[in-house]
């Protein structure tokens, strides 16, 4: 048997029943070979079909990847490429918006914000119309007509942008120029309305006003004209009203050269309200995001970093070791309504304050519980801040933030 040559040989394995004839089974019939050949052909055809499917899927993946790349490159044109820098860790992961730009959002959202801003200005104009009817001033009526024409012109500009977007004719390269024109017109319009509103302030005390920030933008804010001195203790108090979610944003921020977070009050995202001193953080036990007016105060001393928090005249929390032995640095910029990432700018719409704010006062000492209670109950004995006092002459407003008569104390009295 060893001497037999097989040449080109094919071995076929066949299952045989236990009681079957093994010799008979080793020589399968023609039908069995045909079946085997048919099975092999079917398997080969299946493999070829699967290979073709895989190639088609690869082509689809390449096509989708190219489309995604084009979308990403388009979004880069519409957003700032710079990453948001500085500040506490809670602010990472967002692209930086520079002061003066519109908030970083799709075009539809930007147009929606412009529409809301226009509506806010029209509401102010309606109030002025009522005032002019009561005073029957021809000069007031003339200014009202001019302002109404400007608002109508702005609405036409916004409508034109909507039509351009719908027809696909809008050129992203010109978006910055268009934004600049519209924002410039808004600022001019806001200034004219503010000048006209001054006619209603003659019979109003200089501190009986509130600031309103109706939209979450990076261009509405107020700036305190006076800077802070070096302070080893402070008390900061204000009336505040907001129902914004998530988080009401940044009621105020104080930045100095080299430190954007020298002193900041912020409620951002789903975090509780926090006070930041030199980037050190304390969580405050305030519950004020209910659309009602609340009076809040925070006191602090550099010795051991001791702090206290008051809501509506009652102490609700306290702690220590908040930036101990670090004096508040002087010669900075104090902004209401925005969080600064650079000195006087670098605003991010996601951290903007939305709501109303009034009677922002600051002292260079720790107030007593009795003094805080007098402020919260609008007592005639309440003191004004010896560092920052709430007065219209001390504040400049920008970007469409508005001033209204403050009513919370009148309601309490």
């Amino acid at each position: 048997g060893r001497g037999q040559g097989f040449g080109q040989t094919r071995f076929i394995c066949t299952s045989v029943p236990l009681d079957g004839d093994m010799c008979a089974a080793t020589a399968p019939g023609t039908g069995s070979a045909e079946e085997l050949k048919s099975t092999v052909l079917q398997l080969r055809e299946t493999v070829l079909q699967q290979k073709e499917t895989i190639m088609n899927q690869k082509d689809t993946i390449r096509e989708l990847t190219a489309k995604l790349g084009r979308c990403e490159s388009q979004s880069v044109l519409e957003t700032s490429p710079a990453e948001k820098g500085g500040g506490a860790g809670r602010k990472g992961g967002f692209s930086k918006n520079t002061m003066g730009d519109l908030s970083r959002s799709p075009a539809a959202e930007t147009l929606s914000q412009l529409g809301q801003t226009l509506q806010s200005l029209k509401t102010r104009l309606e109030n002025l119309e009522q005032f002019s009817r009561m005073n029957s001033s021809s000069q007031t009526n003339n200014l009202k007509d001019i302002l109404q024409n400007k608002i109508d012109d702005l609405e036409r500009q916004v409508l034109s942008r909507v039509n351009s977007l719908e027809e696909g004719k809008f050129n992203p390269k010109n978006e910055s120029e268009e934004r600049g024109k519209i924002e410039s017109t808004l600022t001019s319009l806001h200034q004219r309305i503010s000048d006209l509103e001054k006619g209603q302030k003659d019979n109003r005390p200089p501190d009986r006003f509130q600031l309103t920030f109706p939209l979450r933008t990076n261009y509405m804010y107020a700036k305190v004209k006076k800077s802070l001195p070096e302070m080893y203790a402070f008390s900061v108090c204000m009336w505040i009203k907001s129902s914004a979610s998530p988080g009401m944003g940044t009621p105020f921020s104080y930045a100095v050269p080299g430190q954007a977070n020298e002193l900041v009050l912020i409620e951002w995202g789903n975090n509780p309200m926090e006070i930041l001193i030199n980037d050190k953080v304390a969580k405050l036990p305030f519950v004020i995001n209910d659309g009602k007016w609340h009076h809040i105060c925070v006191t602090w001393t550099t010795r051991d970093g001791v702090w206290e928090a008051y809501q509506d005249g009652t102490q609700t929390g306290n702690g220590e070791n908040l930036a101990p032995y670090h004096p508040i640095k002087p010669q900075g910029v104090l902004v209401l309504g925005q969080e600064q990432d650079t000195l006087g700018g670098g605003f991010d719409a996601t951290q903007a304050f939305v709501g109303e704010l009034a009677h922002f006062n600051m002292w260079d000492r720790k107030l007593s519980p009795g003094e805080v209670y007098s402020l919260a109950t609008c007592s005639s004995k309440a003191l004004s801040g010896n560092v920052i006092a709430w007065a219209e002459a001390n504040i400049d407003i920008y970007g469409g933030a508005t001033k209204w008569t403050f009513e919370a104390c009148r309601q309490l009295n």
Side-chain angles (χ1 to χ4, degrees):
R2 284 192 301 257
Q4 184 178 358
F6 289 95
Q8 295 294 328
T9 308
R10 184 170 63 180
F11 295 91
I12 300 175
C13 298
T14 307
S15 60
V16 179
L18 290 176
D19 55 351
D21 185 351
M22 291 181 63
C23 293
T26 55
T30 344
S32 199
E34 288 298 327
E35 289 176 5
L36 185 61
K37 183 177 180 181
S38 174
T39 302
V40 170
L41 291 174
Q42 287 178 1
L43 287 173
R44 180 180 294 176
E45 185 177 354
T46 301
V47 169
L48 290 174
Q49 288 176 350
Q50 290 178 343
K51 185 176 179 181
E52 184 178 356
T53 300
I54 291 171
M55 294 302 295
N56 290 337
Q57 288 175 343
K58 285 184 177 180
D59 291 339
T60 303
I61 290 170
R62 280 195 294 268
E63 183 181 354
L64 291 175
T65 303
K67 288 181 179 179
L68 181 60
R70 288 195 296 271
C71 290
E72 288 175 340
S73 64
Q74 178 68 21
S75 66
V76 168
L77 291 174
E78 297 176 356
T79 58
S80 173
E83 288 296 323
K84 190 171 178 64
R90 65 186 52 75
K91 296 182 288 186
F94 288 90
S95 295
K96 181 176 180 180
N97 288 328
T98 56
M99 181 179 64
D101 289 339
L102 291 175
S103 59
R104 179 172 43 79
S105 58
E109 184 178 344
T110 299
L111 291 169
S112 173
Q113 288 188 350
L114 284 171
Q116 292 178 56
T117 303
L118 287 170
Q119 186 58 47
S120 172
L121 292 172
K122 291 178 77 171
T123 301
R124 292 171 68 189
L125 194 57
E126 289 170 3
N127 292 333
L128 290 170
E129 283 184 275
Q130 294 177 4
F131 176 77
S132 66
R133 281 195 294 269
M134 294 172 60
N135 293 272
S136 63
S137 166
S138 60
Q139 182 181 7
T140 300
N141 287 329
N142 290 337
L143 282 173
K144 184 263 293 182
D145 293 337
I146 293 172
L147 294 172
Q148 185 63 61
N149 290 336
K150 285 202 170 191
I151 286 179
D152 293 341
D153 183 57
L154 272 172
E155 287 182 320
R156 283 192 293 270
Q157 289 185 48
V158 173
L159 181 61
S160 173
R161 293 187 71 193
V162 171
N163 293 334
S164 298
L165 285 169
E166 289 177 347
E167 296 172 7
K169 297 178 181 178
F170 193 71
N171 186 354
K173 294 181 180 179
N174 296 330
E175 184 170 4
S176 297
E177 182 180 349
E178 291 292 328
R179 286 179 172 180
K181 289 179 181 178
I182 291 180
E183 186 180 340
S184 175
T185 309
L186 281 173
T187 302
S188 172
L189 180 60
H190 157 71
Q191 188 60 50
R192 295 295 299 274
I193 291 180
S194 296
D195 292 341
L196 188 54
E197 286 172 338
K198 287 179 182 178
Q200 303 178 51
K201 298 173 184 174
D202 296 337
N203 300 323
R204 187 174 73 192
D207 65 340
R208 191 62 62 85
F209 74 101
Q210 69 188 48
L211 296 181
T212 300
F213 302 91
L215 304 174
R216 199 181 292 278
T217 72
N218 65 348
Y219 55 86
M220 284 188 184
Y221 67 102
K223 183 179 177 182
V224 179
K225 295 180 181 180
K226 183 180 177 182
S227 186
L228 305 183
E230 186 174 54
M231 296 190 298
Y232 295 85
F234 71 77
S235 297
V236 59
C237 301
M238 72 198 78
W239 283 92
I240 199 167
K241 176 183 177 181
S242 179
S243 57
S245 179
M248 67 175 63
T250 309
F252 79 91
S253 65
Y254 176 66
V256 297
Q259 177 53 279
N261 294 324
E262 183 68 7
L263 178 57
V264 181
L265 184 68
I266 184 171
E267 185 182 71
W268 187 70
N270 294 315
N271 300 309
M273 185 166 280
E274 299 171 337
I275 186 83
L276 281 71
I277 299 176
N278 192 33
D279 254 337
K280 307 302 185 294
V281 182
K283 297 184 183 300
L284 304 177
F286 292 146
V287 183
I288 54 179
N289 196 12
D290 58 2
K292 299 178 181 179
W293 280 108
H294 293 280
H295 187 265
I296 60 173
C297 279
V298 179
T299 70
W300 172 86
T301 59
T302 186
R303 182 168 181 173
D304 296 325
V306 175
W307 60 270
E308 295 175 345
Y310 294 82
Q311 179 176 330
D312 298 325
T314 303
Q315 183 176 324
T316 56
N318 60 76
E320 58 183 18
N321 202 35
L322 175 59
Y325 304 103
H326 171 83
I328 302 299
K329 296 177 182 177
Q331 306 304 315
V333 177
L334 180 57
V335 167
L336 305 178
Q338 294 284 353
E339 194 277 330
Q340 302 173 67
D341 277 341
T342 60
L343 189 65
F347 304 147
D348 185 336
T350 64
Q351 295 170 326
F353 173 70
V354 179
E356 297 164 85
L357 186 150
H359 282 268
F360 179 92
N361 286 277
M362 183 176 287
W363 296 258
D364 59 1
R365 63 181 179 85
K366 176 182 174 182
L367 294 183
S368 68
E371 289 173 319
V372 173
Y373 184 79
S374 293
L375 290 164
T377 54
C378 302
S379 168
S380 58
K381 299 178 182 178
L383 302 174
S384 295
N386 67 333
V387 174
I388 300 295
W390 186 248
E392 293 192 64
N394 295 339
I395 294 175
D396 290 326
I397 58 177
Y398 301 90
T402 56
K403 291 181 181 178
W404 300 102
T405 301
F406 179 62
E407 300 291 347
C409 281
R410 183 180 298 179
Q411 294 169 10
L412 287 176
N413 293 332

